[in-house]
Amino acid sequence: MPGNSPERSPYQIAIPDFIDTFAQSPERIKILAGFLAFRAELHKLGIICGFQWLDGSFLENIEILENRAPHDLDVVTFYQLPVGETQQSLVQKNQDIFNPVHLKSDFTIDGYFSMLGLPVDNKEIKTITYWYSMWSHRRDGLWKGFVQIDLDPSQDSEANKILEINKEAIK
C-alpha cells in the first residue's frame, strides 16, 4: 500500500474477530478476559457510544520479538457521555473504572479516556495526535499500526464465547 493511502491505522475490526485473532495463549486470554470485563463495566455505566483504540506489545508478536508474553493491553476509550450524565456524575458511579492503577490490577489494561462531543479545541487535537504518533511506531522507530473497536456492546457476548472456545482449545 502506498504511504499516502487513506487505508491506514487505526484498523477497524469487530470485537469477536479481535478476540479470535489474539486469544492464542493463556497469558493473552487472561488479558482479553480483563479487557472484556472492563468493557462490561463501561457498558453498565451507559458508556456504549464511541470506540476504543488498542495497542501495545499485545498487538505485536512480542513472544518472538522479545521472547516474552505481553503484560497488558493498551486501551484508549473515546466515549460519549450517556444521556443525563456529567463527567462528575459518571465518575461518582464508579471511580475505580477511571483509575489507571485499578485498571492495570483488575483488568490487565493500561487504560486512558477521551470524551467525545466536546468542542474541538487544541487540547483535544493534541490528545488525538499524541496517541496516533505514539502508536504508529514501535519503540525502535519501525512503523506499525493499531486497532479500533466500536464500544457498542452488541457483539461482546459473541466475543466472550469465542474467548471461552479458545481457552478450552489451549488447555
Side-chain angles (χ1 to χ4, degrees):
M1 202 172 306
N4 62 350
S5 170
E7 300 300 320
R8 61 180 63 226
S9 195
Y11 300 104
Q12 294 184 22
I13 185 171
I15 192 161
D17 295 332
F18 178 78
I19 297 296
D20 195 38
T21 299
F22 289 98
Q24 303 301 322
S25 71
E27 297 87 359
R28 287 176 175 273
I29 287 171
K30 179 182 176 194
I31 292 167
L32 289 169
F35 173 58
L36 289 171
F38 168 65
R39 286 176 57 92
E41 290 300 312
L42 293 176
H43 297 151
K44 284 181 195 174
L45 290 173
I47 298 175
I48 59 172
C49 294
F51 56 91
Q52 293 173 303
W53 283 356
L54 312 177
D55 194 42
S57 63
F58 190 89
L59 267 64
E60 300 175 20
N61 198 352
I62 202 68
E63 293 87 347
I64 292 176
L65 291 170
E66 295 185 13
N67 197 30
R68 67 169 179 87
H71 302 299
D72 59 22
L73 176 62
D74 296 350
V75 180
V76 179
T77 301
F78 294 88
Y79 69 100
Q80 291 180 358
L81 276 175
V83 174
E85 295 287 353
T86 65
Q87 282 181 300
Q88 185 178 9
S89 68
L90 196 61
V91 170
Q92 287 175 346
K93 287 183 176 181
N94 187 340
Q95 292 181 4
D96 286 343
I97 204 72
F98 298 100
N99 179 326
V101 174
H102 173 74
L103 293 178
K104 187 76 145 193
S105 65
D106 288 7
F107 300 109
T108 324
I109 64 167
D110 191 7
Y112 306 90
F113 293 88
S114 184
M115 194 171 68
L116 299 170
L118 299 173
V120 177
D121 63 11
N122 194 38
K123 182 180 177 194
E124 185 65 18
I125 292 169
K126 281 185 161 284
T127 299
I128 293 168
T129 56
Y130 169 79
W131 289 115
Y132 189 86
S133 68
M134 288 294 292
W135 287 2
S136 294
H137 296 84
R138 286 179 38 92
R139 288 186 179 128
D140 61 8
L142 183 66
W143 276 93
K144 67 179 195 82
F146 56 98
V147 171
Q148 179 173 312
I149 294 178
D150 197 291
L151 266 173
D152 178 1
S154 65
Q155 295 183 335
D156 283 43
S157 177
E158 180 184 350
N160 275 296
K161 288 176 187 172
I162 291 169
L163 187 64
E164 285 304 313
I165 290 167
N166 286 14
K167 185 177 182 179
E168 289 300 317
I170 289 176
K171 284 186 179 178

